[in-house]
Every structure is written in structure tokens, then in C-alpha cells.
Amino acid sequence: MSVSGLNEASRSSASKFGGGAEEIQDRFLKLLTAQLKNQDPLEPMDNSQVTSQMAQLSTVTGIQDLNKTMAGISDSFASADLLRATSLIGRSVVVEGDRLAVNKDSDTLASFDLGKSVGSATLEVKDAAGRVIYQEDLGPRGAGRHQIVWDGKDMNGDKLPEGLYKFSVTGINGTEQVDARELEQRVVLGVHNTGGALQFNIGGGEQVGVEDVLEFGA
């Protein structure tokens, strides 16, 4: 077997059986020893080729050790990110959505984005059956993000039962209707790491990633 054949055998063995750097090195040395014992005296192995193959093996094992080190560093960063993210528990976050949660002891907060200024904007709240239970003229609004503060009462001023309601905001510019992007204000209840990505538990069995959070509040 030539040195190149030895190298191919080593790579094939590594591919077939897997294993770490120590296993690959052990298999290589066993193959090399066997080849030296059985080599043709008339065509002995070239020392420079052996040296080259040993150097390549050293490079492979070195890369594997480096990969292990980098994986350890990556895990450390992920743990540190998760630890820092726990400071967000209890903080409010703004995410895309059209629900309002009515609580008996506090006002309900939400937001909406407008792509352009409007002469007037209207808030409409519906119950689970799709009935309009509240409507409010928000007046003229400029382009950008705006907050809604709703006391959870219907058009008659009666406090609505606790629960989730849907809202929408529509803007009017002359005869042009401008739809808004509705945004929910939620609270971070927990944080965990899923596949290296941070996920926020915002209640109701829902989780969002960092990329889904449009704004962090107090």
C-alpha cells in the first residue's frame, strides 16, 4: 500500500466509524505500522511522504480540537446571552398582533403603525363574536408609531368582562383609506434558549424570538 493509499484508508475509516481526533490518530498509526512491516524491501516507503502524511494528520486533529474549543466558546456565549436576557422578565414588549387584553385593575395598552400621515384615525374594538363594542376617534395622526390607552369600557361606559378582544385602526386621508399595522403590548414571563436562539414566553402559550420584538418597554 502506498502512502497515498494509507491516507485514503485512514480517511475512509474516519468517515465510516466517526470518532474524535485521538481515534483517527490511533487508526492512522496502526495502518502505518502495518504498512511498514509489510512493505516491499525493493520499494521502501518514501520518508518525505510519510512526514507529509503525519503533518496532514496533525492538521486534521488540530482542526478537530479547534472545533471543539469553538463549540465550547459558542455554548458559553449562549449561556451568557440567556443569563442577560433573564433581566427582561417582567418587561413589556411590542409585537405584531391585533388583540387587547382587558384587566379589571388596569387600562389596556396597544400600539399601531401608520405608513403615512392621516387626517383622522379610528379605533374599533370587537368581541369574540365579531361585534363592534367600542369605537373611538383618535384624531389626526402622523406617520410612525402611536400608542393606544383603552379603559376596557364599551360605548355605554360599562366595564367589559376580562378577556381578549380584537382591535383595528383605520386612517382616512381625504377619500383615501390608510390601513394601520396593529401592535400588541405583552409582558415577558420567561426566557429560554431553543437551538441557540433566544425565545420569550409572552403568555397564552405563545413564544416569540428576538427578531419578532419590535420594541422593549419598561
Side-chain angles (χ1 to χ4, degrees):
M1 179 186 294
S2 67
V3 174
S4 60
L6 175 65
N7 189 44
E8 287 298 323
S10 179
R11 283 201 298 267
S12 175
S13 179
S15 174
K16 181 177 179 181
F17 299 105
E22 292 183 1
E23 294 178 64
I24 294 174
Q25 186 173 13
D26 182 62
R27 286 195 295 268
F28 181 89
L29 291 176
K30 285 181 179 178
L31 288 169
L32 178 61
T33 301
Q35 183 175 358
L36 289 173
K37 286 182 179 179
N38 298 290
Q39 67 178 330
D40 185 350
L42 300 177
E43 296 183 9
M45 294 179 62
D46 188 335
N47 288 337
S48 63
Q49 288 182 308
V50 175
T51 302
S52 174
Q53 296 302 320
M54 292 296 290
Q56 289 183 36
L57 175 64
S58 177
T59 300
V60 170
T61 55
I63 290 174
Q64 288 196 336
D65 289 340
L66 177 61
N67 287 340
K68 289 180 181 179
T69 301
M70 292 303 294
I73 292 173
S74 179
D75 290 342
S76 297
F77 277 131
S79 298
D81 287 343
L82 183 60
L83 182 61
R84 285 192 294 269
T86 57
S87 66
L88 298 172
I89 294 176
R91 296 268 299 274
S92 64
V93 291
V94 174
V95 297
E96 191 165 355
D98 61 355
R99 290 167 299 177
L100 293 169
V102 171
N103 301 303
K104 64 178 181 179
D105 298 324
S106 62
D107 289 337
T108 298
L109 304 178
S111 304
F112 63 95
D113 283 345
L114 284 171
K116 60 171 67 176
S117 298
V118 296
S120 66
T122 302
L123 166 68
E124 193 172 79
V125 181
K126 296 180 180 180
D127 63 13
R131 295 186 297 259
V132 177
I133 55 175
Y134 181 76
Q135 205 169 46
E136 181 182 344
D137 181 6
L138 302 177
R141 297 292 175 118
R145 184 162 300 168
H146 304 273
Q147 189 173 60
I148 297 170
V149 180
W150 179 44
D151 59 11
K153 296 179 181 179
D154 62 17
M155 297 296 290
N156 297 319
D158 298 323
K159 187 72 173 182
L160 292 163
E162 292 188 342
L164 291 175
Y165 298 82
K166 286 199 171 185
F167 78 101
S168 62
V169 175
T170 304
I172 298 295
N173 246 343
T175 59
E176 179 190 9
Q177 178 175 307
V178 180
D179 292 328
R181 179 172 69 155
E182 289 80 13
L183 306 171
E184 298 178 13
Q185 186 161 313
R186 309 289 289 272
V187 175
V188 177
L189 302 179
V191 182
H192 65 276
N193 190 308
T194 301
L198 288 176
Q199 294 284 316
F200 299 108
N201 173 10
I202 57 174
E206 295 179 68
Q207 298 173 1
V208 296
V210 175
E211 68 279 3
D212 299 315
V213 177
L214 304 175
E215 183 180 328
F216 288 96

